[in-house]
Each structure stands twice: as structure tokens, then as C-alpha cells.
Amino acid sequence: MIRLLVADDQALVRGALATLLGLEEDLEVVAQVGRGDEVVAAARDHRADVALLDVEMPGLDGIAAARALAAEHPACRSLIVTTFGRPGYLRLALEAGASGFVVKDTPSATLAAIVRRVAAGERVVDPALAAESLAVGPSPLSPRERDVLLAFRDDGAAVAVAKRLHLSEGTVRNHLSAAIGKTGARNAAEAVRTAAERGWLLGG
């Protein structure tokens, strides 16, 4: 029997995944959590073999949770199951030690088969997404440019970003300008969207 942990901040999605996987004779969902910072403790407490992790969760995102699992409880392998089939996310997930990466619209029988392969020690990645990931390349953003884009996404104005990050407004504008150039965007809002789609705002 393969023991599973399901981590997703949406209770409906979490419950549906647990129900579908629980129908398989050799799979047992032993824990469900709604926050990324609850993953390691739950995996350890319930002796999970595989953790299915959403990317966007409070506490820790799924990438960071996979990294924490690999470092603190490597007996439990991680499988990213996400709505966001973005190539940048895939690269970050694999660098973090995840054993697999699939999107949520994967048929349940296919997902169950992938879980078995991950439990057996294989690494499972969607081939099309893997090819796209190689094409996009790693993030060109500096850590500070990433921070500025994240703050701009939340606050939407250079003045607010400057106050939040304790920087001058001119410095914020310089970082935004650099990020706009590196993402090939026309403005800061588009730079945020492009960076998010490519997974460049996660995993710092």
C-alpha cells in the first residue's frame, strides 16, 4: 500500500484528489493539509510515501515545500500537481528535489500510475512541458528585481513598493525598468505577468 499526503489550499480540490486516489486498491490517502508549511510534519507524522503538492499555497509554496521535504524528510517523495503547467515552475520543482510534475487535468488513472512510478523511485515529467522548460531557460531576474516585481504585483505603484522594500523610488523604477527589459515586456504590469507565467517569481 502506498501512503499519500495531499496538500492543496482549496478544500474542494484537495478532497476530490483524495477521493479519486483513494479508489485505487494500492493507494491510501493518510493525510490532507491546506498549507505548505504543514507538509513536512504531516508527512513525518503519517509516514507518507508520496506527497502531492499544489504550487500556490499559504505558508510555503509547493516548490518550497518540496525542497523542505527533500531536506528534512527524504523518505517521502514529492509530486507537484498543479493548475499552472508553466515551464519555469517545472524547472524550479525539479531543482527543489520534486520527483514529478503534472497538471491537475491529468486523468485520474494516469495520475494514479504516475504516483506509483514516483513511489517506485522514478522521476515523472510531462515531455511537452520538459521541452518547453528547456526553451524558456532559467530566470534572468536578479533577486532584487524579483522582489520588486512581487511587491509591484501586490501594491501596483512604485511609491508603495519603495516604502515596502525600504528603497528610494528611483531605485525601484530602475529595477522595474531592468525587469521590463529582461522579460521583453512593454510595462511593469506585463513584466509581472510574464515573469509569473515563466515561474520566475517563485522559489527564491
Side-chain angles (χ1 to χ4, degrees), residues 46 61 144 159 199:
H46 296 277
D61 63 61
R144 181 54 87 185
V159 177

Side-chain angles (χ1 to χ4, degrees), residues 26-204:
D26 57 339
L27 305 181
E28 180 186 7
V29 177
V30 294
Q32 298 181 43
V33 298
R35 298 176 54 89
D37 52 6
E38 296 173 349
V39 167
V40 173
R44 187 181 289 125
D45 292 347
H46 296 277
R47 293 178 289 112
D49 300 307
V50 178
L52 289 84
L53 308 173
D54 183 30
V55 170
E56 296 193 348
M57 292 187 287
L60 281 179
D61 63 61
I63 309 288
R67 185 180 298 111
L69 263 182
E72 300 173 41
H73 190 59
C76 180
R77 302 171 68 80
S78 56
L79 171 62
I80 304 291
V81 184
T82 182
T83 307
F84 306 99
R86 296 170 180 165
Y89 285 10
L90 168 60
R91 184 185 315 102
L92 290 169
L94 297 181
E95 288 171 357
S99 297
F101 190 103
V102 296
V103 290
K104 284 180 180 171
D105 61 2
T106 301
S108 57
T110 304
L111 179 58
I114 289 170
V115 167
R116 293 183 188 103
R117 290 173 61 190
V118 166
E122 293 183 44
R123 179 168 270 188
V124 186
V125 172
D126 178 87
L129 200 56
E132 193 179 345
S133 178
L134 291 172
V136 168
S139 174
L141 300 174
S142 72
R144 181 54 87 185
E145 288 160 1
R146 174 184 169 276
D147 290 345
V148 167
L149 283 183
L150 282 169
F152 186 85
R153 181 178 68 180
D154 295 339
D155 297 322
V159 177
V161 172
K163 187 175 293 185
R164 178 170 168 179
L165 298 180
H166 308 291
L167 298 171
S168 73
E169 194 176 336
T171 299
V172 167
R173 292 190 188 283
N174 287 340
H175 284 309
L176 284 173
S177 178
I180 288 167
K182 289 178 179 179
T183 56
R186 290 168 295 186
N187 53 50
E190 189 176 300
V192 169
R193 279 196 305 274
T194 300
E197 286 169 1
R198 295 179 179 177
W200 294 346
L201 299 184
L202 275 179

